[in-house]
Amino acid sequence: MITRKFDSATQSLIDRAESIGISTGVERLSNQQPQCGFGQLGTCCRICYMGPCRIDPFGDGPTVGVCGATADTIVCRNLLREEVGGASSHVGHARHVVVAFKKMLEGKAPSYKITDKDKLLEVAKGLGIETDGRDEKEIAKDVVEKALEDLSRQDDEPMNWIKFRAPEKEIKLWKEKGLLVSNAHNEIEEAMHRTSMGNDEDPVNLLLACLRIGLVDGYAGLHMATDFHDILFGTPKVKTIEANLGVLDKDKVNIAMHGHNPVLSEKILEWAGKLTSEAEEAGAKGVNVVGVCCTGNELTMRRGVPMAAHNMQSELILLTGAVDAMVVDMQCIWPSITRIADCFQTKIITTESFVKMQGAVHVAFEPEEADKKAEEIVRLAIDAFKQRKGKDVFIPSEKSVGMIGFSVEAIIEVLKKLNADDPLMPVIDNIKNGNIYGVVGFAGCPSIKLRDTYMTEIMVKELLKNNVLVVTTGCTAHICAQAGLLNSDATEKYCGEGLKTVLKVLGEAAGLDVPLPPVWHMGSCVDNSRIATLLKALAERLDVRISQLPVAGSAPELVQEKAVSIGTWLMALGLTVHIAPHPRILGSPVATKVLTEGLEEITGGKAFVELDPVKAASGLLDHIKSKREALGI
Ligand code: BF8
Ligand code: SF4
């Protein structure tokens, strides 16, 4: 019997699972207790077969592994390998999109087209590509070449995407510190090489490699993916959407899109529309595509698709019995889902050759045959609906309304209504006068370990009360949406007077009758790039380093390796990043000291670990206060 208490929609499905004897993550986590202390501290090494070795943090047991590796070496090697996992995911994602784009340009993937020509030109110009009087396709080919260079060059030139998207002051600093990276694949290879048995022993050198992998993640992963997504599918605009599990509709064919890559989900959405009449012939009232995790964020940002579930709910949504198909591509897909789906009529459909699941239907999705495959997948969902029709389902009623689509372009468009020549000025003025005390970006996952502490919601509300504007991405955006933090009512309810005033003015400027929400949904996890673009614009407009701005980041419920590599990138950029639960570094005095203190002297950024939400918010407020004071505001 588990006595934890989650939000009502989540809890109702956990209760349902328990009543029908299906295991969920909450039960499995409980079965895993106590979790391994060596693992939590990062002091377990299984890099070679003389091990596994573990270092006793209390000094009662061995202080070095069989080969002589210390806790510092072991922890830093493990951290770097975590980051390689994260960066590989993001770079792999970006590469998939670039390859699809390239095939489109070569006429091999005619299902896709360039949707946002302005973005193409912006990216091309940023990469130093000649655009005047040139054919759009030729420009696009050059953009692809620049992307492929960042995955293949051997000349040690800094990555094109770093030169394009990173602030100049930071590029200069990274160069001085030997952090500038050139080719994502080389860096990943070198990180694996240096952490294999008998190579890098120096914990500080290993931590510097972590920063390099952070840069790989930020530029050859996040920024590159976002830029190509926008060119292919459009840059998000502000719109209103619904969120939470109540967006499922028992009378429709429900397709839950889960994973990360819009190259797949955009096509499924299109075919859901095209096959509506077939769904109706099958007795459904239509096809209801809903979003889970980051692909949900991509779909909602561009198409207003309802945000059904964050990562912790990705298995729970299946317990409704109302999902006809869950279509997945890559990353964050729990192995449990096929076993739960098996208890209902739900089909799990995998689409990538490197992401297969026992019990799932595999439809190999290649850009060359995107339409054919998307059509096939939607038909599989309609078939599953036919089997479900008439059976009982259990859909939680919870549903909230939120505003989404805060791309940098959408934000600047609103700001231009206030100052057409210098759109950032109204924000800067309001930061100076304290109406906006600071800005904090919330990113990352829902932690099954912390979700019932409402870590994210409490932190966000504390910050809003203190006039801190919040921007969000990833699964924290789902959490904020479900908590009603993405709508105008939240502005009235939770914001301090200064922030409320600003959001009212911005709401008017946007042509709305209501204030803008206090939490701006900026997209999926790769769209942390959008937050970085906004920071770069602000820092360059003020001619300061990013580390001087009254801003911070938080991954309040860290789960994935990807969140670790994103966090490291942000620290390399100069941000203070709050993290909970503890990262696996505490077993190393060097890693703990460098990441929470020493790094500040190098990049201006640091990690701040705090598990209590109120204390975490107050730590971030103190940080913002010190930055404001240093700027003399
Ligand atoms: O990349 S927030 S659980 S879905 S890792 Fe995964 Fe975490 Fe969700 Fe997206 Ni991001
Ligand atoms: Fe043990 Fe060293 Fe091998 Fe790691 S590399 S398992 S510490 S002997």
Side-chain angles (χ1 to χ4, degrees):
M1 183 67 194
I2 297 154
T3 52
R4 304 175 63 187
K5 196 85 191 142
F6 294 89
D7 64 275
S8 55
T10 304
Q11 189 63 49
S12 64
L13 289 169
I14 293 170
D15 292 346
R16 175 166 157 87
E18 208 170 273
S19 70
I20 53 183
I22 295 177
S23 143
T24 66
V26 177
E27 187 200 349
R28 295 189 295 269
L29 175 64
S30 157
N31 293 341
Q32 285 289 338
Q33 299 310 310
Q35 284 181 304
C36 171
F38 297 99
Q40 284 176 344
L41 294 170
T43 54
C44 168
C45 183
R46 44 186 292 281
I47 278 173
C48 88
Y49 278 76
M50 291 191 285
C53 303
R54 26 190 229 181
I55 307 300
D56 184 340
F58 305 109
D60 297 335
T63 54
V64 289
V66 175
C67 66
T70 61
D72 285 324
T73 301
I74 292 174
V75 166
C76 294
R77 280 197 307 220
N78 286 343
L79 181 67
L80 184 52
R81 286 203 165 189
E82 262 179 40
E83 303 213 0
V84 165
S88 303
S89 303
H90 287 137
V91 174
H93 174 159
R95 182 173 58 81
H96 268 75
V97 183
V98 172
V99 169
F101 189 82
K102 181 170 181 279
K103 287 179 178 168
M104 180 262 299
L105 291 173
E106 291 164 349
K108 295 179 193 157
S111 309
Y112 298 98
K113 64 178 197 314
I114 293 170
T115 299
D116 192 335
K117 298 185 175 125
D118 292 341
K119 187 86 183 206
L120 171 68
L121 290 181
E122 184 207 332
V123 171
K125 283 183 189 145
L127 291 165
I129 294 166
E130 184 57 54
T131 56
D132 281 352
R134 292 187 70 205
D135 177 59
E136 173 187 297
K137 245 179 139 178
E138 293 307 311
I139 297 171
K141 278 184 188 160
D142 286 353
V143 171
V144 168
E145 274 312 307
K146 293 276 183 190
L148 296 179
E149 264 178 30
D150 284 357
L151 305 176
S152 61
R153 65 190 319 152
Q154 301 292 334
D155 55 9
D156 283 337
E157 267 296 296
M159 269 181 194
N160 296 316
W161 251 261
I162 290 189
K163 289 193 278 187
F164 168 29
R165 287 296 189 186
E168 269 176 36
K169 288 187 197 305
E170 274 66 30
I171 295 182
K172 195 165 160 268
L173 176 90
W174 296 334
K175 192 169 180 197
E176 279 164 24
K177 304 292 175 197
L179 298 175
L180 266 188
V181 290
S182 180
N183 164 353
H185 287 169
N186 282 8
E187 286 299 325
I188 287 168
E189 175 226 86
E190 190 167 275
M192 288 306 283
H193 183 178
R194 73 160 78 217
T195 51
S196 65
M197 201 276 184
N199 288 298
D200 209 352
E201 184 271 345
D202 179 350
V204 174
N205 206 34
L206 285 158
L207 291 171
L208 290 172
C210 288
L211 293 176
R212 290 174 69 95
I213 289 292
L215 296 189
V216 165
D217 191 288
Y219 297 100
L222 314 188
H223 271 295
M224 196 187 283
T226 300
D227 285 334
F228 278 91
H229 288 169
D230 283 355
I231 295 169
L232 266 172
F233 304 112
T235 302
K237 295 191 168 65
V238 176
K239 46 181 94 56
T240 301
I241 53 95
E242 288 184 325
N244 214 341
L245 293 145
V247 301
L248 290 171
D249 184 335
K250 77 170 169 45
D251 297 322
K252 291 186 177 170
V253 177
N254 289 307
I255 302 180
M257 287 306 308
H258 177 13
H260 285 81
N261 192 346
V263 169
L264 169 72
S265 57
E266 285 278 336
K267 277 286 143 192
I268 302 292
L269 184 67
E270 188 184 321
W271 277 94
K274 286 184 178 162
L275 296 180
T276 299
S277 53
E278 266 183 46
E280 285 166 354
E281 279 159 31
K285 289 191 177 154
V287 184
N288 183 33
V289 176
V290 301
V292 177
C293 291
C294 276
T295 222
N297 286 321
E298 298 284 354
L299 283 173
T300 204
M301 289 285 285
R302 295 196 180 80
R303 313 284 171 227
V305 165
M307 299 167 67
H310 54 62
N311 192 245
M312 185 188 150
Q313 297 164 328
S314 61
E315 62 171 9
L316 299 176
I317 191 172
L318 303 176
L319 285 149
T320 60
V323 177
D324 298 298
M326 176 175 266
V327 187
V328 306
D329 48 39
M330 54 182 80
Q331 303 167 19
C332 304
I333 303 152
W334 291 20
S336 65
I337 59 172
T338 43
R339 294 191 283 274
I340 298 184
D342 209 31
C343 305
F344 302 93
Q345 284 78 38
T346 308
K347 283 198 173 84
I348 303 290
I349 302 171
T350 54
T351 54
E352 287 292 337
S353 59
F354 68 103
V355 185
K356 291 196 176 178
M357 306 184 80
Q358 299 170 74
V361 180
H362 187 74
V363 179
F365 186 87
E366 293 296 340
E368 289 89 334
E369 293 189 313
D371 281 298
K372 186 167 155 252
K373 295 302 172 107
E375 183 177 6
E376 183 184 340
I377 290 170
V378 175
R379 287 225 166 89
L380 284 170
I382 295 173
D383 283 346
F385 173 85
K386 286 182 197 159
Q387 290 163 42
R388 168 171 71 86
K389 205 168 48 181
K391 297 204 173 114
D392 274 350
V393 295
F394 175 85
I395 300 176
S397 58
E398 284 80 354
K399 207 177 348 181
S400 55
V401 174
M403 255 181 244
I404 51 84
F406 288 83
S407 58
V408 176
E409 290 82 347
I411 295 168
I412 297 288
E413 204 177 297
V414 174
L415 293 173
K416 273 190 174 161
K417 304 266 169 58
L418 300 173
N419 187 338
D421 299 330
D422 193 358
L424 288 175
M425 214 48 215
V427 175
I428 291 168
D429 285 342
N430 278 289
I431 291 178
K432 279 190 183 157
N433 69 20
N435 277 342
I436 301 175
Y437 191 63
V439 182
V440 173
F442 276 74
C445 327
S447 166
I448 198 163
K449 295 178 174 174
L450 295 173
R451 199 73 291 278
D452 55 341
T453 67
Y454 302 94
M455 186 77 193
T456 302
E457 296 90 324
I458 295 173
M459 278 186 74
V460 168
K461 287 176 192 170
E462 282 293 312
L463 292 169
L464 296 180
K465 196 166 76 186
N466 287 285
N467 296 309
V468 172
L469 178 69
V470 171
V471 296
T472 186
T473 56
C475 284
T476 54
H478 281 272
I479 295 172
C480 290
Q482 293 182 7
L485 290 163
L486 301 190
N487 60 45
S488 307
D489 292 348
T491 305
E492 292 293 343
K493 220 164 146 184
Y494 302 115
C495 293
E497 286 310 315
L499 184 57
K500 207 181 283 183
T501 308
V502 175
L503 293 168
K504 278 183 185 159
V505 172
L506 290 177
E508 269 172 39
L512 307 165
D513 300 337
V514 290
L516 285 191
V519 179
W520 294 358
H521 184 344
M522 294 189 75
S524 65
C525 280
V526 296
D527 292 335
N528 283 309
S529 59
R530 300 190 198 279
I531 299 180
T533 300
L534 198 56
L535 291 177
K536 169 177 148 89
L538 274 175
E540 291 189 338
R541 176 64 186 76
L542 290 167
D543 196 26
V544 296
R545 296 243 344 255
I546 283 189
S547 59
Q548 292 173 270
L549 296 172
V551 300
S554 174
E557 304 186 32
L558 173 73
V559 173
Q560 300 278 354
E561 291 171 330
K562 291 183 286 174
V564 181
S565 49
I566 295 174
T568 314
W569 167 51
L570 296 177
M571 289 194 269
L573 262 175
L575 277 191
T576 286
V577 181
H578 163 253
I579 304 166
H582 288 108
R584 292 174 188 143
I585 59 170
L586 297 185
S588 160
V590 172
T592 307
K593 182 117 178 111
V594 169
L595 294 175
T596 60
E597 293 173 27
L599 185 61
E600 204 170 6
E601 283 159 33
I602 306 173
T603 69
K606 64 171 187 294
F608 160 52
V609 181
E610 175 56 64
L611 272 59
D612 178 281
V614 176
K615 284 189 195 153
S618 115
L620 292 180
L621 287 166
D622 288 346
H623 166 78
I624 289 170
K625 185 167 176 245
S626 70
K627 295 293 167 184
R628 294 184 65 92
E629 282 169 3
L631 285 171
I633 55 174

